[in-house]
Amino acid sequence: MTHQPFGAAIFGCDGARLSVDERAFFKDAHPFGFILFDRNLETPDQIRALTSDLRGAVGWNAPIFIDQEGGRVQRLRPPLATEWLPPLDHVALLGEHAEAGMRVRYQIISYELMSLGIDANCAPMLDVARAETHRFLRNRCYGSNLDQVVKIGHAVVEGHLAGGVFPVVKHIPGHGLAQMDSHLELPRIDASENTLSAIDFAAFRPFADVAMGMTAHLVYSALGETGPATTSPKMIQRIRTDLGFGGLLMTDDISMQALSGTVPERGAASMQAGCDVILHCNGDLPERVALMERIGTMPAASQVRAEAAIASRTQPQDVDIAALTAKLAQLEQGRSA
């Protein structure tokens, strides 16, 4: 399988329908994929039409991403999709059945996403929670114990794959120590290399073969870093070697204020550091055009990883959603299902 070289971006779009100018831009830019937000989501028929139009603009079955973690970070809500507890709260409710329950939860989520034409979800989140973890992140985690985070992370990956949805592991190499919201400012992590390697980085090593991952906009001071991992060649190399991650590596949203410079400058710095694709969630069409002019198409190695990711698509299993929902309810009540 050899695709036309992908534009090195995953783009958001302005609203519930594509404009003529957006459609023309996406055709020319040929981005690797797209990501949806609240502004894009009105009704099931509208979402299905939008996902179809996005793929039509690039001429192939491009992945369409969303953040459907559950809790506060959940783009689709009733009546479009099930309302979910924050992950950390759901893990606590499930208790000893957390692995089985979270596998079912994300299988249901994947079924709901696929029914709308969405086939990639920015989860699992493998950041290890601490008491001091910033509230924007903490209840999105799966636990404060490395072993628990890894086990539940695997269950979340399995749930996505069973539902035919690409999982995206995040935030590599670990966001759990952040005491600031990286949407607004740049967190600096002073923990020792031993701590990072034994806990935060360790959470990602068992997921080295997942097809896609997302960077963290954090500075790891103990490693001699002065800028965020997303734009650091040394940190991206560490992700590839120490963590062994071989999949397609996307940035966290390039619009976040943890990064400095203009959006095109941020994108160029991330590409130069070794990221494969730039995630651009917000901003208008002129900003997308300017970003694309700076980053262009994927380098050859990134194109290979992109094609490998696409080749890893799974077919959704036939499921009885009512039965899965009943199974999850049993697990929540402490009964084996």
Side-chain angles (χ1 to χ4, degrees):
M1 175 181 63
T2 301
H3 285 276
Q4 170 188 342
F6 296 117
I10 296 166
F11 281 123
C13 57
D14 288 343
R17 292 155 191 84
L18 286 186
S19 69
V20 172
D21 289 344
E22 281 183 304
R23 192 185 303 270
F25 168 69
F26 291 145
K27 180 179 179 181
D28 290 341
H30 198 66
F32 174 73
F34 304 94
I35 188 165
L36 302 183
F37 287 88
D38 295 356
R39 63 183 182 267
N40 309 122
L41 309 169
E42 291 181 349
T43 69
D45 285 345
Q46 170 270 320
I47 297 167
R48 284 188 282 266
L50 178 60
T51 57
S52 177
D53 285 349
L54 287 166
R55 292 183 171 113
V58 293
W60 73 287
N61 188 22
I64 296 180
F65 297 78
I66 200 166
D67 291 296
Q68 192 73 353
E69 298 174 12
R72 184 170 50 81
V73 181
Q74 177 173 338
R75 309 304 178 198
L76 292 162
R77 297 187 182 277
L80 295 173
T82 302
E83 185 76 28
W84 297 100
L85 287 171
L88 193 62
D89 296 347
H90 205 177
V91 167
L93 175 65
L94 288 160
E96 64 181 14
H97 300 298
E99 287 177 67
M102 293 296 276
R103 185 180 297 107
V104 172
R105 165 182 166 130
Y106 283 93
Q107 193 172 357
I108 295 170
I109 287 173
S110 296
Y111 173 86
E112 293 178 338
L113 295 181
M114 288 289 282
S115 74
L116 298 171
I118 302 165
D119 65 347
N121 192 20
C122 297
M125 207 183 78
L126 302 174
D127 306 316
V128 181
R130 312 297 210 282
E132 65 270 24
T133 301
H134 192 282
R135 65 181 182 277
F136 101 92
L137 189 84
R138 194 173 194 284
N139 71 357
R140 299 164 58 193
C141 299
Y142 304 150
S144 55
N145 174 279
L146 173 64
D147 184 59
Q148 178 175 326
V149 170
V150 169
K151 286 180 178 178
I152 294 174
H154 279 305
V156 172
V157 167
E158 291 161 7
H160 281 103
L161 295 178
V165 168
F166 290 110
V168 180
V169 296
K170 64 182 185 185
H171 303 86
I172 306 175
H175 211 303
L177 285 165
Q179 297 181 47
M180 298 176 179
D181 183 348
S182 54
H183 292 86
L184 306 174
E185 49 194 335
L186 177 60
R188 296 180 181 276
I189 306 303
D190 297 323
S192 71
E193 182 167 5
N194 286 343
T195 295
L196 291 169
S197 183
I199 300 175
D200 298 86
F201 297 176
F204 290 90
R205 292 191 186 105
F207 298 85
D209 60 348
V210 175
M212 301 186 208
M214 178 187 292
T215 65
H217 295 333
L218 304 181
V219 177
Y220 299 90
S221 302
L223 304 179
E225 294 294 304
T226 57
T230 300
T231 56
S232 166
K234 289 183 179 178
M235 289 306 299
I236 300 303
Q237 183 63 22
R238 184 181 285 262
I239 289 168
R240 293 298 189 193
T241 55
D242 179 19
L243 276 64
F245 184 73
L248 186 78
L249 186 63
M250 67 185 71
T251 68
D252 202 347
D253 180 13
I254 208 71
S255 307
M256 290 163 62
Q257 297 311 303
L259 304 179
S260 59
T262 65
V263 163
E265 289 168 347
R266 297 171 188 179
S270 302
M271 293 296 294
Q272 289 164 7
C275 293
D276 294 313
V277 62
I278 307 304
L279 179 63
H280 182 266
C281 297
N282 302 297
D284 55 18
L285 182 57
E287 187 174 84
R288 289 180 217 129
V289 172
L291 173 62
M292 203 67 234
E293 288 174 348
R294 286 295 299 272
I295 62 175
T297 56
M298 287 183 181
S302 297
Q303 178 79 14
V304 169
R305 286 189 283 266
E307 292 190 7
I310 296 303
S312 74
R313 281 186 196 272
T314 55
Q315 290 300 311
Q317 298 173 3
D318 291 332
V319 294
D320 180 335
I321 288 298
L324 277 182
T325 302
K327 178 179 179 179
L328 182 56
Q330 284 184 298
L331 294 168
E332 290 170 345
Q333 293 162 13
R335 292 183 285 142
S336 296

